[in-house]
PDB file of all heavy atoms in Angstrom:
ATOM      1  N   LEU A 120      59.684  55.234  97.528  1.00 91.00           N
ATOM      2  CA  LEU A 120      58.829  55.877  96.533  1.00 91.00           C
ATOM      3  C   LEU A 120      59.489  55.985  95.174  1.00 91.00           C
ATOM      4  O   LEU A 120      58.811  56.115  94.168  1.00 91.00           O
ATOM      5  CB  LEU A 120      58.430  57.282  96.997  1.00 91.00           C
ATOM      6  CG  LEU A 120      57.587  57.364  98.252  1.00 91.00           C
ATOM      7  CD1 LEU A 120      57.387  58.820  98.645  1.00 91.00           C
ATOM      8  CD2 LEU A 120      56.262  56.676  98.037  1.00 91.00           C
ATOM      9  N   GLY A 121      60.830  55.978  95.141  1.00 96.00           N
ATOM     10  CA  GLY A 121      61.535  56.178  93.883  1.00 96.00           C
ATOM     11  C   GLY A 121      62.850  55.443  93.859  1.00 96.00           C
ATOM     12  O   GLY A 121      63.363  55.008  94.890  1.00 96.00           O
ATOM     13  N   LEU A 122      63.401  55.335  92.648  1.00 97.00           N
ATOM     14  CA  LEU A 122      64.646  54.602  92.452  1.00 97.00           C
ATOM     15  C   LEU A 122      65.357  55.171  91.230  1.00 97.00           C
ATOM     16  O   LEU A 122      64.744  55.356  90.183  1.00 97.00           O
ATOM     17  CB  LEU A 122      64.320  53.119  92.233  1.00 97.00           C
ATOM     18  CG  LEU A 122      65.445  52.110  92.277  1.00 97.00           C
ATOM     19  CD1 LEU A 122      66.137  52.101  93.629  1.00 97.00           C
ATOM     20  CD2 LEU A 122      64.884  50.726  91.968  1.00 97.00           C
ATOM     21  N   ALA A 123      66.644  55.474  91.377  1.00 98.00           N
ATOM     22  CA  ALA A 123      67.461  55.972  90.275  1.00 98.00           C
ATOM     23  C   ALA A 123      68.279  54.820  89.691  1.00 98.00           C
ATOM     24  O   ALA A 123      68.671  53.898  90.420  1.00 98.00           O
ATOM     25  CB  ALA A 123      68.381  57.076  90.760  1.00 98.00           C
ATOM     26  N   ALA A 124      68.546  54.893  88.395  1.00 98.00           N
ATOM     27  CA  ALA A 124      69.271  53.822  87.709  1.00 98.00           C
ATOM     28  C   ALA A 124      70.623  53.502  88.353  1.00 98.00           C
ATOM     29  O   ALA A 124      70.959  52.320  88.486  1.00 98.00           O
ATOM     30  CB  ALA A 124      69.420  54.147  86.226  1.00 98.00           C
ATOM     31  N   PRO A 125      71.433  54.492  88.759  1.00 98.00           N
ATOM     32  CA  PRO A 125      72.705  54.133  89.399  1.00 98.00           C
ATOM     33  C   PRO A 125      72.530  53.288  90.666  1.00 98.00           C
ATOM     34  O   PRO A 125      73.406  52.498  91.012  1.00 98.00           O
ATOM     35  CB  PRO A 125      73.336  55.493  89.720  1.00 98.00           C
ATOM     36  CG  PRO A 125      72.786  56.393  88.661  1.00 98.00           C
ATOM     37  CD  PRO A 125      71.361  55.935  88.495  1.00 98.00           C
ATOM     38  N   GLN A 126      71.399  53.426  91.336  1.00 98.00           N
ATOM     39  CA  GLN A 126      71.146  52.622  92.533  1.00 98.00           C
ATOM     40  C   GLN A 126      71.010  51.136  92.213  1.00 98.00           C
ATOM     41  O   GLN A 126      71.141  50.303  93.100  1.00 98.00           O
ATOM     42  CB  GLN A 126      69.880  53.089  93.243  1.00 98.00           C
ATOM     43  CG  GLN A 126      70.019  54.440  93.897  1.00 98.00           C
ATOM     44  CD  GLN A 126      68.717  54.856  94.533  1.00 98.00           C
ATOM     45  OE1 GLN A 126      67.808  55.307  93.844  1.00 98.00           O
ATOM     46  NE2 GLN A 126      68.626  54.692  95.842  1.00 98.00           N
ATOM     47  N   VAL A 127      70.737  50.807  90.951  1.00 98.00           N
ATOM     48  CA  VAL A 127      70.647  49.400  90.548  1.00 98.00           C
ATOM     49  C   VAL A 127      71.772  49.025  89.593  1.00 98.00           C
ATOM     50  O   VAL A 127      71.687  48.050  88.861  1.00 98.00           O
ATOM     51  CB  VAL A 127      69.258  49.050  89.944  1.00 98.00           C
ATOM     52  CG1 VAL A 127      68.174  49.176  91.000  1.00 98.00           C
ATOM     53  CG2 VAL A 127      68.950  49.889  88.721  1.00 98.00           C
ATOM     54  N   GLY A 128      72.836  49.836  89.601  1.00 98.00           N
ATOM     55  CA  GLY A 128      74.026  49.485  88.845  1.00 98.00           C
ATOM     56  C   GLY A 128      74.085  49.953  87.409  1.00 98.00           C
ATOM     57  O   GLY A 128      74.964  49.546  86.658  1.00 98.00           O
ATOM     58  N   GLU A 129      73.158  50.808  87.005  1.00 98.00           N
ATOM     59  CA  GLU A 129      73.143  51.326  85.633  1.00 98.00           C
ATOM     60  C   GLU A 129      73.547  52.802  85.650  1.00 98.00           C
ATOM     61  O   GLU A 129      72.813  53.627  86.199  1.00 98.00           O
ATOM     62  CB  GLU A 129      71.761  51.168  85.008  1.00 98.00           C
ATOM     63  CG  GLU A 129      71.334  49.736  84.824  1.00 98.00           C
ATOM     64  CD  GLU A 129      72.169  49.001  83.788  1.00 98.00           C
ATOM     65  OE1 GLU A 129      72.710  49.636  82.866  1.00 98.00           O
ATOM     66  OE2 GLU A 129      72.294  47.778  83.917  1.00 98.00           O
ATOM     67  N   PRO A 130      74.681  53.158  85.047  1.00 98.00           N
ATOM     68  CA  PRO A 130      75.180  54.537  85.125  1.00 98.00           C
ATOM     69  C   PRO A 130      74.526  55.483  84.124  1.00 98.00           C
ATOM     70  O   PRO A 130      75.188  56.161  83.345  1.00 98.00           O
ATOM     71  CB  PRO A 130      76.673  54.356  84.838  1.00 98.00           C
ATOM     72  CG  PRO A 130      76.705  53.205  83.883  1.00 98.00           C
ATOM     73  CD  PRO A 130      75.606  52.278  84.349  1.00 98.00           C
ATOM     74  N   ILE A 131      73.201  55.523  84.129  1.00 98.00           N
ATOM     75  CA  ILE A 131      72.462  56.372  83.192  1.00 98.00           C
ATOM     76  C   ILE A 131      71.515  57.287  83.959  1.00 98.00           C
ATOM     77  O   ILE A 131      71.174  57.033  85.113  1.00 98.00           O
ATOM     78  CB  ILE A 131      71.673  55.538  82.154  1.00 98.00           C
ATOM     79  CG1 ILE A 131      70.692  54.598  82.847  1.00 98.00           C
ATOM     80  CG2 ILE A 131      72.629  54.794  81.236  1.00 98.00           C
ATOM     81  CD1 ILE A 131      69.777  53.851  81.900  1.00 98.00           C
ATOM     82  N   ARG A 132      71.072  58.357  83.295  1.00 98.00           N
ATOM     83  CA  ARG A 132      70.189  59.355  83.909  1.00 98.00           C
ATOM     84  C   ARG A 132      68.728  58.923  83.767  1.00 98.00           C
ATOM     85  O   ARG A 132      68.042  59.299  82.817  1.00 98.00           O
ATOM     86  CB  ARG A 132      70.416  60.715  83.273  1.00 98.00           C
ATOM     87  CG  ARG A 132      71.798  61.242  83.526  1.00 98.00           C
ATOM     88  CD  ARG A 132      72.002  62.566  82.859  1.00 98.00           C
ATOM     89  NE  ARG A 132      73.398  62.968  82.980  1.00 98.00           N
ATOM     90  CZ  ARG A 132      73.922  63.976  82.339  1.00 98.00           C
ATOM     91  NH1 ARG A 132      73.187  64.712  81.522  1.00 98.00           N
ATOM     92  NH2 ARG A 132      75.190  64.263  82.497  1.00 98.00           N
ATOM     93  N   LEU A 133      68.297  58.144  84.725  1.00 98.00           N
ATOM     94  CA  LEU A 133      66.940  57.600  84.714  1.00 98.00           C
ATOM     95  C   LEU A 133      66.463  57.498  86.152  1.00 98.00           C
ATOM     96  O   LEU A 133      67.198  57.077  87.040  1.00 98.00           O
ATOM     97  CB  LEU A 133      66.932  56.213  84.065  1.00 98.00           C
ATOM     98  CG  LEU A 133      65.630  55.426  84.113  1.00 98.00           C
ATOM     99  CD1 LEU A 133      64.555  56.093  83.261  1.00 98.00           C
ATOM    100  CD2 LEU A 133      65.873  53.999  83.645  1.00 98.00           C
ATOM    101  N   PHE A 134      65.208  57.901  86.375  1.00 97.00           N
ATOM    102  CA  PHE A 134      64.600  57.860  87.693  1.00 97.00           C
ATOM    103  C   PHE A 134      63.158  57.405  87.538  1.00 97.00           C
ATOM    104  O   PHE A 134      62.454  57.877  86.646  1.00 97.00           O
ATOM    105  CB  PHE A 134      64.650  59.262  88.325  1.00 97.00           C
ATOM    106  CG  PHE A 134      64.043  59.359  89.686  1.00 97.00           C
ATOM    107  CD1 PHE A 134      64.702  58.854  90.781  1.00 97.00           C
ATOM    108  CD2 PHE A 134      62.807  59.957  89.876  1.00 97.00           C
ATOM    109  CE1 PHE A 134      64.149  58.947  92.049  1.00 97.00           C
ATOM    110  CE2 PHE A 134      62.242  60.060  91.131  1.00 97.00           C
ATOM    111  CZ  PHE A 134      62.925  59.556  92.225  1.00 97.00           C
ATOM    112  N   VAL A 135      62.732  56.471  88.379  1.00 98.00           N
ATOM    113  CA  VAL A 135      61.328  56.033  88.369  1.00 98.00           C
ATOM    114  C   VAL A 135      60.746  56.246  89.761  1.00 98.00           C
ATOM    115  O   VAL A 135      61.447  56.154  90.762  1.00 98.00           O
ATOM    116  CB  VAL A 135      61.172  54.547  87.945  1.00 98.00           C
ATOM    117  CG1 VAL A 135      61.747  54.316  86.564  1.00 98.00           C
ATOM    118  CG2 VAL A 135      61.795  53.595  88.942  1.00 98.00           C
ATOM    119  N   TYR A 136      59.449  56.564  89.805  1.00 97.00           N
ATOM    120  CA  TYR A 136      58.784  56.690  91.090  1.00 97.00           C
ATOM    121  C   TYR A 136      57.302  56.406  90.929  1.00 97.00           C
ATOM    122  O   TYR A 136      56.755  56.425  89.831  1.00 97.00           O
ATOM    123  CB  TYR A 136      59.038  58.053  91.731  1.00 97.00           C
ATOM    124  CG  TYR A 136      58.516  59.251  90.964  1.00 97.00           C
ATOM    125  CD1 TYR A 136      57.355  59.902  91.361  1.00 97.00           C
ATOM    126  CD2 TYR A 136      59.198  59.757  89.859  1.00 97.00           C
ATOM    127  CE1 TYR A 136      56.883  61.017  90.684  1.00 97.00           C
ATOM    128  CE2 TYR A 136      58.744  60.861  89.178  1.00 97.00           C
ATOM    129  CZ  TYR A 136      57.591  61.495  89.596  1.00 97.00           C
ATOM    130  OH  TYR A 136      57.122  62.588  88.915  1.00 97.00           O
ATOM    131  N   ASP A 137      56.653  56.107  92.051  1.00 95.00           N
ATOM    132  CA  ASP A 137      55.241  55.776  92.051  1.00 95.00           C
ATOM    133  C   ASP A 137      54.596  56.501  93.229  1.00 95.00           C
ATOM    134  O   ASP A 137      54.954  56.260  94.378  1.00 95.00           O
ATOM    135  CB  ASP A 137      55.047  54.266  92.170  1.00 95.00           C
ATOM    136  CG  ASP A 137      53.610  53.831  91.923  1.00 95.00           C
ATOM    137  OD1 ASP A 137      52.691  54.623  92.201  1.00 95.00           O
ATOM    138  OD2 ASP A 137      53.413  52.701  91.465  1.00 95.00           O
ATOM    139  N   LEU A 138      53.653  57.384  92.939  1.00 92.00           N
ATOM    140  CA  LEU A 138      53.002  58.189  93.974  1.00 92.00           C
ATOM    141  C   LEU A 138      51.617  57.682  94.361  1.00 92.00           C
ATOM    142  O   LEU A 138      50.851  58.410  94.998  1.00 92.00           O
ATOM    143  CB  LEU A 138      52.898  59.641  93.506  1.00 92.00           C
ATOM    144  CG  LEU A 138      54.231  60.350  93.300  1.00 92.00           C
ATOM    145  CD1 LEU A 138      53.999  61.764  92.779  1.00 92.00           C
ATOM    146  CD2 LEU A 138      55.032  60.387  94.579  1.00 92.00           C
ATOM    147  N   ALA A 139      51.299  56.447  94.020  1.00 89.00           N
ATOM    148  CA  ALA A 139      49.984  55.899  94.366  1.00 89.00           C
ATOM    149  C   ALA A 139      49.796  55.901  95.881  1.00 89.00           C
ATOM    150  O   ALA A 139      50.716  55.605  96.639  1.00 89.00           O
ATOM    151  CB  ALA A 139      49.831  54.491  93.815  1.00 89.00           C
TER     152      ALA A 139
END
Side-chain angles (χ1 to χ4, degrees):
L120 296 175
L122 192 61
Q126 290 178 281
V127 294
E129 295 293 333
I131 58 174
R132 296 179 187 170
L133 173 67
F134 180 75
V135 301
Y136 63 103
D137 190 331
L138 296 178

